[in-house]
């Protein structure tokens, strides 16, 4: 297997629905930024994987034709909230297998305001089994589905380990402190845990509005190359993907009778285990993590799934400040989905953008000093989880 180098990354500032450029313009701009960062022209790209959730087929072509029309294969990807990192996963495989030397991954999303919902209502939903399991485990009529899933997971953790509600508020407050230093984040106002607790209650005793990430529009991209290609073209090899895996649901998702497992805890735990084993590192070796905090509740349970702390220890991990600067592992220096925003197709590649800059030492005000090992976690219900380990070369 060949080493995979992150040659270039690009990301545009995220925006609220209605305040962004159209999807194809966001995708085009992100790709141009990534190519410029790599010092490459589009003619060097051999294949492209384009991720988005809300859009018609071949939106990827619509975005890339504005960059160039070189006749390369363009594959459109949809894997719910893990769409961007699924595009990255597919691009990396082509390099790692030795089939190609220069591959583009891009993601974008043009979203509408409000809670996520089904587009196609004339056919069975992919979430039927998830909805049925949630109905058995949670009595929350009137709560939108995504909130019910992840709020229910947080409630499961609260009941199992005695985790207080303000633990989730502290996660959200931490996200705001980090986003304050990120000019590409959508929400940059610093919040206290009290601000989060006193915000609009959307599920009494379980969640306030600020514990949920906002619908967002945006685009991000990455250019991956082989080591031989990097040498031939004089491309810097500071950042490489040392290991990456994708997992999907197993029977435990539905059979465990646990909301945490319904929202991907087991997928994340297994993906992390495989990545650590493949790269020969462990959680203690990590310097920085970008994880999928679509809700503060998911960030908290993911600390444990990724092994950043022991099971049931996430509350202490937060209280000790081990999830931020000066602690053990800086999580979501970008502000995460909670503050940076969550344009579904772009999220995984925005995480890649942040971590690549961290390992290059060019992250500016969000820089984690001396970062050499970084982990990315991107989760899509339905389900797919991609975990990626980056190392400074």
């Amino acid at each position: 297997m060949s080493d995979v180098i992150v040659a270039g990354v690009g990301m545009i500032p995220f925006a609220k629905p209605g305040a962004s450029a159209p999807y194809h313009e966001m995708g085009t701009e992100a790709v141009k930024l990534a190519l410029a960062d790599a010092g490459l022209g589009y003619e060097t790209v051999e294949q492209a994987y384009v991720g988005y959730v809300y859009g018609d087929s071949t939106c990827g072509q619509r975005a890339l034709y504005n960059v160039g029309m070189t006749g390369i294969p363009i594959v459109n990807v949809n894997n719910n909230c893990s769409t961007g990192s699924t595009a990255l996963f597919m691009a990396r495989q082509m390099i790692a297998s030795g089939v190609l030397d220069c591959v583009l991954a891009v993601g974008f999303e043009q979203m509408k305001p409000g809670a996520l919902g089904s587009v196609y209502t004339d056919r069975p939903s992919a979430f039927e089994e998830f909805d049925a399991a949630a109905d058995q485990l949670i009595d929350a009529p009137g709560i939108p589905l995504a909130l019910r899933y992840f709020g229910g997971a947080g409630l499961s953790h609260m009941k199992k380990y005695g985790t207080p509600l303000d633990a989730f508020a502290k996660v959200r407050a931490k996200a705001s402190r980090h986003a304050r230093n990120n000019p590409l984040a959508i929400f940059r106002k610093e919040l206290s845990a009290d601000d989060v607790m006193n915000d609009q209650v959307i599920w009494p005793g379980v969640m306030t509005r600020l514990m949920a990430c906002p619908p967002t529009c945006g685009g991000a991209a990455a250019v991956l190359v082989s080591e031989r290609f990097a040498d031939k073209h004089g491309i810097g090899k500071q950042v490489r993907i040392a290991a990456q895996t994708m997992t999907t649901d197993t029977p435990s998702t539905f059979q465990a009778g646990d909301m945490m497992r319904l929202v991907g805890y087991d997928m994340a735990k297994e993906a992390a285990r495989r990545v650590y084993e493949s790269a020969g590192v462990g959680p203690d070796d990590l310097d920085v993590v970008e994880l999928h905090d679509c809700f503060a509740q998911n960030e908290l349970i993911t600390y444990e799934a990724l092994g950043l702390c022991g099971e049931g220890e996430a509350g202490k991990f937060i209280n000790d400040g081990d999830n931020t600067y000066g602690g053990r592992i800086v999580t979501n220096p970008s502000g995460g989905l909670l503050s940076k925003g969550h344009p579904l197709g772009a999220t995984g590649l925005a995480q890649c953008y942040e971590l690549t800059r961290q390992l290059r030492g060019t992250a500016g005000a969000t820089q984690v000093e001396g970062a050499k090992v970084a982990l990315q976690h991107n989760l899509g219900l339905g389900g797919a989880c991609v975990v990626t380990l980056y190392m400074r070369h």
Side-chain angles (χ1 to χ4, degrees):
M1 297 284 276
S2 159
D3 265 3
V4 178
I5 308 300
V6 184
V9 289
M11 175 181 167
I12 64 170
F14 288 174
K16 294 180 180 180
S20 75
Y23 73 87
H24 63 287
E25 293 181 11
M26 293 189 288
T28 297
E29 182 63 22
V31 170
K32 287 181 176 179
L33 290 169
L35 288 169
D37 186 47
L40 295 170
Y42 185 63
E43 70 279 357
T44 62
V45 175
E46 298 170 284
Q47 204 165 103
Y49 293 91
V50 187
Y52 57 92
V53 176
Y54 295 108
D56 291 323
S57 187
T58 66
C59 284
Q61 281 85 335
R62 179 74 173 89
L64 288 180
Y65 286 176
N66 291 338
V67 185
M69 297 183 69
T70 56
I72 61 168
I74 297 172
V75 181
N76 294 276
V77 180
N78 179 350
N79 235 358
N80 275 347
C81 299
S82 63
T83 290
S85 57
T86 298
L88 186 72
F89 176 81
M90 297 173 77
R92 183 204 61 86
Q93 283 188 318
M94 299 306 291
I95 304 288
S97 64
V99 173
L100 299 173
D101 287 305
C102 181
V103 183
L104 171 69
V106 57
F108 49 74
E109 208 71 61
Q110 184 176 341
M111 298 187 71
K112 295 179 179 179
L116 300 182
S118 295
V119 175
Y120 301 105
T121 56
D122 62 339
R123 64 204 70 184
S125 165
F127 287 98
E128 281 185 335
E129 288 189 67
F130 290 86
D131 294 346
D135 285 343
Q136 289 185 334
L137 295 169
I138 294 290
D139 181 22
I143 301 292
L145 283 177
L147 277 65
R148 186 160 56 130
Y149 287 138
F150 290 101
L155 187 58
S156 175
H157 199 279
M158 293 166 77
K159 290 179 176 178
K160 192 178 295 186
Y161 301 114
T163 307
L165 184 61
D166 71 355
F168 307 115
K170 291 174 182 176
V171 167
R172 178 65 178 87
K174 180 267 300 177
S176 76
R177 292 196 301 273
H178 292 184
R180 180 187 60 189
N181 297 316
N182 181 5
L184 299 179
I186 189 170
F187 292 133
R188 299 184 62 193
K189 179 183 178 182
E190 186 171 346
L191 303 167
S192 68
D194 284 343
D195 291 332
V196 180
M197 290 292 287
N198 293 329
D199 195 43
Q200 177 186 346
V201 174
I202 53 178
W203 187 349
V206 177
M207 188 184 295
T208 65
R209 181 178 56 91
L210 281 169
M211 293 176 189
C213 76
T216 317
C217 304
V223 180
L224 305 185
V225 302
S226 65
E227 193 162 13
R228 67 188 177 194
F229 184 96
D231 290 337
K232 179 180 177 180
H233 292 267
I235 293 169
K237 298 187 291 186
Q238 301 101 312
V239 181
R240 65 187 175 98
I241 296 178
Q244 186 181 49
T245 193
M246 178 191 288
T247 52
T248 57
D249 292 294
T250 60
S252 68
T253 298
F254 304 113
Q255 295 175 3
D258 183 349
M259 287 298 296
M260 290 196 296
R261 284 169 168 76
L262 193 67
V263 301
Y265 184 93
D266 288 350
M267 284 197 296
K269 187 173 182 178
E270 176 60 15
R273 184 195 67 78
R274 291 186 200 174
V275 160
Y276 295 143
E277 185 177 286
S278 176
V281 303
D284 290 342
D285 297 306
L286 303 175
D287 299 307
V288 56
V289 173
E290 282 280 323
L291 60 79
H292 196 87
D293 59 325
C294 50
F295 293 82
Q297 284 76 359
N298 201 50
E299 175 159 341
L300 185 146
I301 68 173
T302 302
Y303 293 154
E304 299 176 12
L306 299 180
L308 309 188
C309 62
E311 291 192 1
E313 296 177 2
K316 183 178 187 302
F317 185 73
I318 294 163
N319 286 334
D320 290 348
D322 281 334
N323 60 351
T324 189
Y325 297 87
R328 282 174 45 208
I329 302 168
V330 182
T331 57
N332 293 341
S334 68
L337 285 58
L338 287 166
S339 289
K340 179 182 61 186
H342 182 25
L344 309 189
T347 289
L349 287 156
Q351 292 175 322
C352 174
Y353 172 88
E354 177 68 24
L355 293 178
T356 296
R357 294 169 67 252
Q358 289 288 344
L359 296 187
R360 288 176 177 173
T362 59
T366 67
Q367 183 65 51
V368 176
E369 188 175 353
K372 294 181 179 178
V373 183
L375 191 76
Q376 174 189 353
H377 160 269
N378 190 201
L379 173 78
L381 289 185
C385 181
V386 183
V387 172
T388 309
L389 187 86
Y390 303 82
M391 286 186 174
R392 184 179 176 89
H393 204 54

